[in-house]
Amino acid sequence: LGALAIFDNPAVLAAINPLHALRFITGNSLLGFFALGAVVLCITGAEALYADMGHFGARPIQYAWLGYVMPALLINYFGQGALLLANPGAVENPFYLLAPEWALYPLVILSTLATIIASQAVISGAFSITQQAIQLGYTPRLEIEHTSDREIGQIYLPGINWLLLVAIIALVIEFGSSSKLAAAYGIAVTGTMLITNFLAIAVAVRLWNWSPARAILGALPFICIDLGFFLANSVKIPDGGWFPLVFGLAIFILLTTWKRGRELLGERLAADSMELKPFIKNITESGIERVSGTAVFLTPNLKLVPHAMLHSLKHYKALHEQVIVLSVEVFDVPFVPDIDRVEVHRLNGNFSQVIVQYGFKDEPDIPAALAQCAEAGLNIDMMDTSFFLGRETLIPKLGSEM
């Protein structure tokens, strides 16, 4: 449709010359500035590219954007411009008026399907970002379902999916009109792009070892552009733009509070931790009572004594005859072969370290994995085995750091 309109009125291609935009802004300074707030809606959806890179990788998105999406958008927007040059009255709705009258309803159906597809990009991006936040320790652990046997990024988070549904219904009811939603969307998109520039500077300095001056100069042109768009949209804050700012601040407080809380908890636990091998030596020399059976203590760090073991020893004044310190590792491959499932290290005093290894599509089954330890000479009778898991309970106290 856009190409046909351009063919009928090719004069619109003169808009490729950026001097027209410069003359418009200089000749209509205030109007040109506010026009940026409307222009930015043409690129909404591009911010989802950042999030979806975690799903699909950078190269597929580059191919899709540069080879298909951006050219199609440019042709369509130039076509709408050509239509407006020929018929200024079409400004009422240039997208639908670009098509013949008989194609109106098929175009509405196409737009609905496009909206669903766009929502899928945002939803998958939300899944990807949430998974990254969990791995970085910024949010509590959530259920993650892997939907592909080949790609680790293809995931589904039921909790986030339901949260998005409730949030969208609440937003539609609260705002009541697409214009107010557009105001919120403009602030969200431009704010995301502006923040991304500053994060890019941090990545360049910390990971790529760029000098701060080089990183800032590299991002400065993009910062100027995105800052202009953000300020142009800031006038919409009273009309709905306040929502993404308030929501973003609330999420920021939640993430940073969880992260800092986990750090404080980790520091407290580390201060009370003991190294495993010296502990085993003391246990064997002190003659601690050993009772029949096997105890399995799950821990993320095999070098330290699990806190559950310390508390068990404190209360029962005894340990099981066979003690296994177990850790689970998940790798960035779909499946781990059974031959590589377990890794056993025998220690003194009938202690053992066991590492159970899974791929992201494997269904964890600890008892089944422990049964494979027999091949390494570690025999475990499941009917005579007790499992111990640690759980932290925070008790706030006035004047404490936690």
Side-chain angles (χ1 to χ4, degrees), residues 151-291:
E151 297 293 337
I152 190 171
Q154 296 292 323
I155 56 175
Y156 169 68
L157 279 74
I160 297 299
N161 198 49
W162 284 105
L163 178 62
L164 288 173
L165 172 64
V166 173
I168 289 169
I169 293 175
L171 276 175
V172 171
I173 294 175
E174 173 65 23
F175 283 89
S177 69
S178 59
S179 60
K180 289 185 178 181
L181 276 174
Y185 198 27
I187 285 287
V189 171
T190 55
T192 298
M193 293 182 172
L194 184 60
I195 291 172
T196 301
N197 289 308
F198 293 108
L199 295 178
I201 293 174
V203 169
V205 172
R206 295 186 179 184
L207 299 183
W208 302 344
N209 297 319
W210 287 20
S211 66
R214 181 187 179 191
I216 293 172
L217 286 175
L220 190 58
F222 301 100
I223 291 175
C224 294
I225 294 171
D226 292 331
L227 182 61
F229 280 125
F230 181 78
L231 293 176
N233 277 274
S234 63
V235 298
K236 302 177 182 178
I237 290 178
D239 296 326
W242 57 268
F243 176 78
L245 297 177
V246 172
F247 186 78
L249 180 62
I251 295 296
F252 176 80
I253 293 174
L254 175 65
L255 298 183
T256 52
T257 300
W258 180 268
K259 179 69 171 180
R260 181 57 181 156
R262 295 300 301 179
E263 289 176 351
L264 290 171
L265 179 61
E267 292 171 2
R268 180 65 61 86
L269 293 176
D272 299 333
S273 296
M274 300 174 57
E275 291 191 12
L276 181 61
K277 291 184 178 180
F279 172 80
I280 294 174
K281 182 179 179 182
N282 292 333
I283 288 295
T284 54
E285 293 177 354
S286 61
I288 292 293
E289 184 73 21
R290 306 293 287 265
V291 297

Side-chain angles (χ1 to χ4, degrees), residues 15-77:
I16 294 174
N17 186 351
L19 292 177
H20 293 297
L22 187 61
R23 292 194 193 101
F24 176 76
I25 292 177
T26 55
N28 307 273
S29 55
L30 188 61
L31 178 62
F33 176 73
F34 289 137
L36 292 177
V39 170
V40 75
L41 295 178
C42 295
I43 59 169
T44 55
E47 78 286 349
L49 297 179
Y50 307 134
D52 284 329
M53 273 195 278
H55 252 61
F56 306 107
R59 193 171 297 276
I61 288 180
Q62 289 172 347
Y63 287 155
W65 173 253
L66 296 176
Y68 178 67
V69 179
M70 186 174 70
L73 285 173
L74 285 174
I75 292 172
N76 185 263
Y77 282 130

